[in-house]
């Protein structure tokens, strides 16, 4: 076995990002300790739910030949190498074919530290499950040539609007901390049936979401989700007509201005649904629509419209706005 000298830091991988994609890391558990590197990696590949048809034993053989199956410390694995409990094995997966998301992802702002993009609907923030290459992170890495781009926060796949990416790993933690500690003021716009709420209005709930289930839910218990409804504006007749061309006949619609104080999964979607005004185009609330019925021409109308913060490196107050209106 060859041993590569690897600089280990936070978030490092002994295999570099390639074509915008991170290498996979898999830890050897009790059920796999003592088996060969070939058997361990082949089981992971062969049991992928979303697997490229050409990712076969020949492709795995080529990975080993190219010395692209390695341990965290840089040790290059041979197919017959016996693995030990707790070892981390790194290798590249081959993404399955994906339906291209037919929208651009414009760059709104860029400096030495950050890049801010205007994410379209139907595009996930990070690679996950069946959405790998058609994600904002991979698209932007390939578009800019900067494999170090990393999102400081996330948006739901169906939500459009502003996403902040750090341009180098050394900047990542500071901006991620801003979002994690709620030091970023965020404003969203949603289109939903009109209701005459007196604003400003605050919705407080306890929200829970079980892994593997599509819908979240509002339950009894201490509040962990807070949304501030700042304004409700009836759409113009022209706006109503434009949306009815996409979604069919609708009740009178309005634009809701929302400022969340917390960031629970599907928080804004759940709060509007619970208030009796589900977001136009939402395929999960109130009714879960089959995934194979997804139509790129019929988006969900929730936009991460703007955010502001004090920059952790320059000390400047910074504010950014998406040109999207719905």
């Amino acid at each position: 076995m060859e041993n590569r000298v690897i600089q280990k830091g936070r978030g490092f991988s002994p295999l570099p990002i390639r074509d915008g994609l991170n290498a996979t890391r898999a830890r050897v558990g009790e059920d796999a300790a003592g088996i060969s590197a070939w058997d361990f990696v082949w089981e992971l590949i062969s049991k992928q739910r979303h697997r490229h048809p050409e990712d076969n034993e020949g492709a795995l053989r080529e990975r080993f030949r190219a010395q692209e199956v390695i341990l965290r410390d840089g040790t290059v694995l041979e197919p017959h190498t016996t693995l030990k409990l707790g070892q981390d094995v790194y290798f590249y997966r081959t993404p399955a074919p994906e339906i291209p998301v037919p929208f651009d992802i414009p760059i709104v702002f860029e400096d030495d530290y950050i890049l801010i993009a205007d994410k379209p609907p139907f595009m996930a923030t990070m690679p996950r499950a069946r959405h790998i290459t058609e994600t904002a992170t991979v698209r932007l890495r390939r578009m800019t040539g900067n494999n170090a781009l990393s999102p400081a926060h996330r948006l739901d796949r169906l939500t459009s609007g502003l996403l902040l990416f750090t341009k180098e790993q050394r900047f990542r933690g500071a901006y991620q901390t801003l979002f994690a500690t709620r030091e970023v003021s965020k404003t969203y716009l949603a289109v939903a049936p009109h209701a005459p709420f007196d604003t400003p209005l605050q919705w407080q709930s306890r929200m829970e979401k079980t892994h593997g289930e599509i819908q979240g839910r509002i339950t009894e218990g201490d509040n962990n989700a807070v949304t501030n409804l700042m304004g409700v504006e009836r759409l113009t007749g022209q706006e109503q007509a434009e949306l009815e061309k996409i979604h069919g006949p609708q009740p009178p619609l309005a634009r809701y201005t929302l400022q969340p104080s917390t960031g629970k999964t599907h928080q804004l979607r759940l709060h509007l649904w619970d208030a009796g005004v589900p977001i136009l185009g939402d395929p999960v609330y109130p009714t879960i629509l089959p995934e194979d019925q997804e139509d790129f021409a019929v988006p969900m109308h929730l936009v991460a419209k703007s955010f502001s913060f004090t920059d952790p490196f320059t000390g400047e107050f910074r504010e950014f706005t998406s040109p999207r209106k719905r």
Side-chain angles (χ1 to χ4, degrees), residues 68-84:
E68 292 177 348
V69 183
I70 70 177
L71 296 178
R72 182 178 177 84
D73 65 1
T75 300
V76 177
L77 297 176
E78 301 290 344
H80 61 267
T81 304
T82 299
L83 298 178
K84 299 176 181 178

Side-chain angles (χ1 to χ4, degrees), residues 142-260:
R142 291 177 174 181
M143 189 169 78
T144 64
N146 181 2
N147 276 330
L149 282 178
S150 184
H153 61 118
R154 298 190 184 196
L155 292 178
D156 284 349
R157 190 175 70 90
L158 298 178
T159 302
S160 57
L162 297 186
L163 261 179
L164 186 150
F165 292 78
T166 56
K167 296 183 70 174
E168 295 183 33
Q169 184 175 339
R170 61 196 173 109
F171 305 141
R172 193 173 304 166
Y175 290 100
Q176 287 178 334
T177 298
L178 284 181
F179 284 90
T181 56
R182 313 293 175 202
E183 295 178 67
V184 178
S185 298
K186 296 181 284 187
T187 298
Y188 290 75
L189 298 180
V191 174
H194 177 256
F197 294 112
D198 290 329
T199 58
L201 172 67
Q202 187 174 84
W203 291 316
Q204 300 186 49
S205 308
R206 179 163 190 82
M207 292 186 182
E208 296 180 358
K209 189 174 185 299
T210 302
H211 180 71
E213 293 184 0
I214 296 176
Q215 283 188 342
R217 58 192 180 278
I218 293 177
T219 66
E220 297 295 326
D222 295 339
N223 295 328
N224 62 0
V226 180
T227 299
N228 299 290
L229 175 61
M230 306 306 295
V232 180
E233 176 189 10
R234 280 282 298 269
L235 297 190
T236 66
Q238 180 179 346
E239 290 174 320
Q240 178 92 17
E242 289 174 354
L243 289 174
E244 289 187 345
K245 288 180 182 178
I246 299 171
H247 298 275
Q250 299 292 321
L253 298 170
R255 183 176 293 107
Y256 290 77
T257 301
L258 305 156
Q259 293 181 345

Side-chain angles (χ1 to χ4, degrees), residues 17-36:
I17 295 170
R18 187 168 68 184
D19 197 23
L21 295 168
N22 295 73
T24 291
R25 176 179 70 96
R27 178 157 293 177
V28 179
E30 291 183 1
D31 58 337
I35 70 172
S36 70

Side-chain angles (χ1 to χ4, degrees), residues 293-308:
Q293 292 185 13
E294 188 170 85
D295 185 346
F296 289 134
V298 185
M300 181 179 75
H301 295 275
L302 177 62
V303 177
K305 179 64 176 178
S306 65
F307 54 64
S308 61

Side-chain angles (χ1 to χ4, degrees), residues 106-109 116-119 160-162 189 255 303-306 320-326:
I107 295 172
V108 173
F109 175 84
I116 296 175
D118 194 8
K119 186 186 83 65
S160 57
L162 297 186
L189 298 180
R255 183 176 293 107
V303 177
K305 179 64 176 178
S306 65
F320 303 96
T321 302
S322 165
R324 298 177 189 269
K325 293 184 178 179
R326 55 173 189 268

Side-chain angles (χ1 to χ4, degrees), residues 19 21 95-98 127 130-136 138-139 142:
D19 197 23
L21 295 168
E98 298 178 44
R130 68 186 182 93
H131 305 289
I132 304 297
T133 58
E134 290 300 304
T135 58
V138 175
R139 278 269 201 104
R142 291 177 174 181

